[in-house]
Amino acid sequence: MCCNAPSFFIILYVTAVYFFGIYLNFISFQDYFECYACKELNFRQQDYDYIVVGSGSAGSIVARRLAENKNLKVLLVEAGSSGGGILQIPAVGVMLQKSSFDWGYRTVPQKQACLGLDDQVSIWPMGKILGGTAMLNNMIYVRGHPDDFARWFRDTCNYDYSIDILPYFEKLENNGTNKHKGSVPISDLPYKSNVSDYFLQAGICLGFGISDGVNAEPGFSSPKITIQKGQRWTPYHQLAKNRKRNLAIVTNAFVEKVLLRDNFEAYGVKYTHMEEPIFAKAKKGVILSAGVIGTPKILMLSGIGPKQHLEKMKIKPKLDLPVGDNLQDHVTTGLDLLTFDYSPNIGIRQMLSPWSMLNYFLRSRGPWTTVGCESIGFFNTAKEIVPELQFMIFPLGVTIDDGYYLSSLTGIGERLWKKYFAKIDKPSFTILPIVLHPKSRGTVRLKNNNPRTPPLINPNYLSDSYDIDILIQGIEMIKEFINTPPMHRLGVKLNPIKFPGCEKFEFDTRPYWECYVRHFTLTAYHPIGTCKMGEVVETDFKVKGTRKLYVVDGSILPDLPSGNPNGAIMMMAERAAEIIKHHCWKTQRKCCAAEVFQKECQC
Ligand SMILES: Cc1cc2nc3c(=O)[nH]c(=O)nc-3n(C[C@H](O)[C@H](O)[C@H](O)COP(=O)(O)OP(=O)(O)OC[C@H]3O[C@@H](n4cnc5c(N)ncnc54)[C@H](O)[C@@H]3O)c2cc1C
Ligand SMILES: *[C@@H]1O[C@H](CO)[C@@H](O)[C@H](O)[C@H]1NC(C)=O
Ligand SMILES: *[C@@H]1O[C@H](CO)[C@@H](O)[C@H](O)[C@H]1NC(C)=O
């Protein structure tokens, strides 16, 4: 789609993106200074019952559920600032990347993957804002396959999906009938482009049915999303809508470590607020919900982590636990691997049209409500019950803005742009083939003992050949998928340009694709697992060997669910909130002696 002179719309777009970036900085600083002015002193002097660190998907649910008990004083501590209503426009989410609302993490250079990306690095956006990463995600809601959870709880006696998992999904999902209780609304796409249905039809041509999209059953579907009345909705929004007096929220508050007594009992956290150190105390518990990078970092800075590593960092080791191990991410590839002859009715032009703005503000509809991805699919490549491969279909590619903004978000450097993307002369788009259960494992480690230093993130992408096999099977499946009448009707073809670095291989052979996936390794933005349940935390979310210290966020997932993980993370947060609140599972049955909190359980 490249052209010689930038079009009017591209100029308008670049200007809009530029000023929006300035605006984002402005609102984040405004929040900062407002906080400076108010400096609600009581934040510092009060003692709380519970302190929750991080207002992301998990933290917002736990804080909200704990504060439902009016007798509990809860403090929610968030390092980022509040974003304001304009950030609830779905299409704006992507613009938060690389802004002051993004932690802006990067992995360490990958040895066997990301070879074609700038510095061989994968860029990992994460929300530093009230609402956390769900403020910049694609809002796709998937529960995952029921067997995913059976795997997580295989050592738990009497585990039963319908008792241990399903009720928490139901509690989480605001589906209209449980309106005032659910933490997130689950809705259908408010807007689809005019090619969207062709994708579902192509799936039918391949013999797949239309599935519900939520339980990761084989088949294609339009995704369910966490949107309400055209607005991005996260558990934080639910919390803010009905805020309880016994819940205090402090923003721009960067937690450095957990305060621990000699018997490993957590009694508070140390955070900095406006450059000032503050020690907040909690009588009943500290819950870390700082995310897959933030939480292991805080634990390690508190002396909980791999002993040798902590010693090397000159941190006094208190508890030797595999914190930061087991990092897993849904790995993918294939941006702009496909081209259309007839482009869809969504793009820069539609985004910038005044009609779209009116449509949004008057009807909460139209292109501004797009989540980017219009269809998803789940498949088994072998004879497994749990799907191994997911498709996420985006009718647009990174070439829509001629390389001005989007490409930089994924680590596509100038050279790669010129040698590959700039040469694509048709509207390009993307089907991401996502490895649902990758076997590569990585780590999060400290770089030094300064809390402000970003940690070293190494996902070790493609270090297990299984991951490469599934990616290549995914590409083979994409080829079958586009060889169907509905895709022929749109003139969909494989982009024939050889990927830079893979010129020596014959196009469309296995060695070529292996080279391609190693060069163009992408994150699906789903890292989890760095405080694995079973190794770092118990099934009651308590950090092993400690008292009153819990972890509830994506880092506790032992393995990736089959699908976008926010649903599973939020479900686990509902479960954790109940366990922490009642010291037991409400649904607890008579259980084996090994069960962790059997003694305490009274409900
Ligand atoms: C671009 C993108 C698209 C995605 N799309 C989807 C999707 O469509 N569907 C889906 O299911 N998943 C998606 N995900 C993944 C999903 O959003 C995350 O897995 C999920 O939001 C993680 O929730 P969490 O509660 O574990 O952590 P987070 O939401 O990251 O929350 C952590 C919070 O803790 C705060 N924090 C961190 N450190 C500190 C500290 N030291 N002191 C105080 N506060 C701290 C952070 O600022 C943040 O607010 C996407 C992710 C990205 C990046
Ligand atoms: C909505 O959720 C409730 C549980 O909270 C459940 O009983 C009901 O069946 C759900 N309704 C739909 C339409 O999914
Ligand atoms: C979708 O809309 C665009 C722009 O209006 C048009 O050019 C294209 O032909 C349409 N495609 C289909 C498949 O209807």
Side-chain angles (χ1 to χ4, degrees):
M1 263 236 287
C2 179
C3 39
N4 304 327
S7 73
F8 168 72
F9 284 102
I10 290 292
I11 294 171
L12 195 62
Y13 164 84
V14 172
T15 319
V17 169
Y18 178 77
F19 280 105
F20 196 74
I22 294 179
Y23 171 76
L24 287 181
N25 272 323
F26 173 75
I27 53 177
S28 82
F29 280 116
Q30 188 194 14
D31 185 82
Y32 188 84
F33 285 111
E34 268 173 19
C35 259
Y36 218 126
C38 70
K39 277 209 164 183
E40 295 180 41
L41 282 163
N42 54 346
F43 281 137
R44 283 175 268 169
Q45 280 147 15
Q46 266 181 5
D47 280 351
Y48 295 91
D49 291 303
Y50 288 103
I51 295 176
V52 180
V53 178
S55 66
S57 302
S60 291
I61 289 177
V62 173
R64 169 167 165 253
R65 294 298 186 195
L66 289 174
E68 280 173 350
N69 179 345
K70 290 190 187 61
N71 301 319
L72 295 176
K73 271 199 242 162
V74 182
L75 174 67
L76 178 58
V77 191
E78 168 58 50
S81 46
S82 82
I86 197 166
L87 302 189
Q88 274 178 276
I89 301 174
V92 160
V94 66
M95 289 162 128
L96 261 51
Q97 292 188 31
K98 296 202 167 171
S99 78
S100 45
F101 293 117
D102 177 6
W103 287 89
Y105 289 125
R106 297 155 59 84
T107 68
V108 300
Q110 296 297 286
K111 295 214 171 73
Q112 307 174 66
C114 306
L115 303 180
L117 300 178
D118 250 6
D119 303 329
Q120 293 180 211
V121 151
S122 181
I123 296 178
W124 284 17
M126 270 179 207
K128 187 180 184 183
I129 181 171
L130 286 173
T133 305
M135 286 303 291
L136 45 79
N137 76 2
N138 292 97
M139 291 174 278
I140 292 174
Y141 181 80
V142 176
R143 284 180 179 176
H145 192 279
D147 284 16
D148 293 335
F149 312 109
R151 243 192 272 182
W152 296 1
F153 288 94
R154 72 185 138 213
D155 297 332
T156 307
C157 59
N158 292 343
Y159 165 81
D160 182 341
Y161 178 78
S162 65
I163 295 174
D164 292 308
I165 302 292
L166 189 59
Y168 300 100
F169 276 126
E170 286 176 348
K171 190 171 181 190
L172 166 75
E173 295 167 3
N174 182 344
N175 63 13
T177 48
N178 59 350
K179 223 177 178 111
H180 301 290
K181 293 212 217 102
S183 293
V184 278
I186 310 300
S187 79
D188 292 315
L189 291 180
Y191 176 81
K192 287 185 207 172
S193 74
N194 62 358
V195 293
S196 180
D197 289 341
Y198 288 73
F199 294 125
L200 298 182
Q201 284 162 19
I204 293 171
C205 294
L206 281 187
F208 289 100
I210 304 289
S211 59
D212 70 355
V214 167
N215 289 306
E217 286 150 2
F220 285 82
S221 58
S222 296
K224 297 279 186 212
I225 52 170
T226 50
I227 275 186
Q228 190 168 61
K229 298 200 181 91
Q231 291 192 320
R232 176 183 293 271
W233 199 264
T234 76
Y236 176 75
H237 294 99
Q238 196 65 35
L239 175 152
K241 189 175 148 190
N242 215 329
R243 169 123 165 245
K244 300 286 192 300
R245 283 236 201 94
N246 55 330
L247 171 66
I249 302 175
V250 56
T251 53
N252 299 296
F254 182 90
V255 172
E256 296 185 354
K257 62 177 187 176
V258 179
L259 307 174
L260 290 166
R261 295 190 215 281
D262 288 341
N263 61 354
F264 308 115
E265 179 180 294
Y267 67 95
V269 297
K270 178 191 176 197
Y271 67 87
T272 48
H273 186 240
M274 311 291 147
E275 266 87 62
E276 212 183 305
I278 291 167
F279 297 83
K281 309 276 170 60
K283 288 198 279 281
K284 295 205 155 88
V286 170
I287 295 115
L288 297 180
S289 300
V292 69
I293 306 299
T295 292
K297 190 177 154 205
I298 295 171
L299 282 176
M300 287 189 274
L301 288 167
S302 314
I304 301 174
K307 189 160 173 267
Q308 286 189 336
H309 172 63
L310 296 184
E311 279 166 352
K312 228 166 96 192
M313 295 294 116
K314 304 197 171 61
I315 295 169
K316 192 179 152 224
K318 293 185 176 152
L319 275 175
D320 188 10
L321 289 175
V323 173
D325 290 359
N326 190 47
L327 176 62
Q328 305 178 38
D329 187 19
H330 281 152
V331 69
T332 186
T333 188
L335 272 188
D336 297 69
L337 186 58
L338 302 166
T339 60
F340 284 123
D341 278 345
Y342 310 95
S343 57
N345 59 351
I346 184 166
I348 301 278
R349 186 183 285 250
Q350 286 83 0
M351 284 291 173
L352 294 174
S353 139
W355 291 117
S356 301
M357 190 167 86
L358 279 180
N359 203 358
Y360 184 76
F361 287 112
L362 298 180
R363 297 175 59 231
S364 306
R365 290 183 167 275
W368 284 25
T369 63
T370 184
V371 299
C373 167
E374 295 196 348
S375 316
I376 55 174
F378 294 95
F379 327 99
N380 306 336
T381 56
K383 288 264 171 289
E384 294 246 357
I385 302 171
V386 172
E388 292 179 279
L389 180 68
Q390 181 183 0
F391 275 4
M392 282 176 75
I393 306 180
F394 295 76
L396 296 175
V398 290
T399 52
I400 49 160
D401 70 354
D402 290 357
Y404 282 98
Y405 176 66
L406 294 177
S407 59
S408 71
L409 301 181
T410 44
I412 295 168
E414 216 163 303
R415 268 191 53 235
L416 178 56
W417 178 267
K418 281 206 186 112
K419 288 173 92 178
Y420 187 74
F421 294 93
K423 289 187 181 161
I424 303 175
D425 56 3
K426 284 187 193 168
S428 53
F429 75 104
T430 298
I431 298 180
L432 295 179
I434 298 171
V435 184
L436 286 172
H437 302 285
K439 297 212 161 107
S440 304
R441 294 288 179 272
T443 53
V444 173
R445 291 287 183 262
L446 299 175
K447 197 171 173 197
N448 56 39
N449 60 14
N450 178 351
R452 295 280 171 173
T453 311
L456 300 172
I457 303 169
N458 185 2
N460 264 320
Y461 283 134
L462 307 187
S463 54
D464 192 302
S465 62
Y466 166 88
D467 303 358
I468 298 174
D469 290 345
I470 300 291
L471 281 177
I472 295 177
Q473 288 184 40
I475 293 171
E476 293 301 329
M477 228 183 118
I478 290 174
K479 282 161 49 191
E480 282 175 38
F481 185 80
I482 64 173
N483 195 16
T484 52
M487 292 295 103
H488 288 162
R489 234 167 290 145
L490 299 174
V492 173
K493 295 195 181 70
L494 209 54
N495 166 6
I497 303 168
K498 276 192 182 175
F499 202 82
C502 302
E503 293 90 347
K504 64 172 183 271
F505 299 103
E506 193 188 330
F507 186 73
D508 199 11
T509 56
R510 186 172 166 109
Y512 174 80
W513 290 124
E514 181 161 345
C515 177
Y516 175 85
V517 303
R518 282 203 192 277
H519 277 71
F520 203 31
T521 323
L522 299 170
T523 172
Y525 304 112
H526 300 161
I528 56 102
T530 49
C531 299
K532 180 176 178 177
M533 180 175 272
E535 283 176 15
V536 175
V537 300
E538 304 281 5
T539 41
D540 62 354
F541 300 86
K542 207 178 282 168
V543 177
K544 282 195 171 179
T546 66
R547 305 184 58 215
K548 301 185 182 174
L549 179 59
Y550 304 86
V551 174
V552 185
D553 58 28
S555 64
I556 59 113
L557 305 195
D559 280 302
L560 279 159
S562 306
N564 314 55
N566 202 25
I569 292 170
M570 294 187 290
M571 175 277 292
M572 291 295 267
E574 291 283 7
R575 186 180 154 89
E578 186 170 296
I579 292 174
I580 297 169
K581 219 163 134 179
H582 300 292
H583 299 287
C584 69
W585 307 343
K586 254 194 213 143
T587 52
Q588 173 116 6
R589 294 133 289 147
K590 292 212 165 43
C591 226
C592 331
E595 206 53 75
V596 199
F597 38 83
Q598 187 203 14
K599 272 172 268 152
E600 283 178 274
C601 184
Q602 265 130 40
C603 47

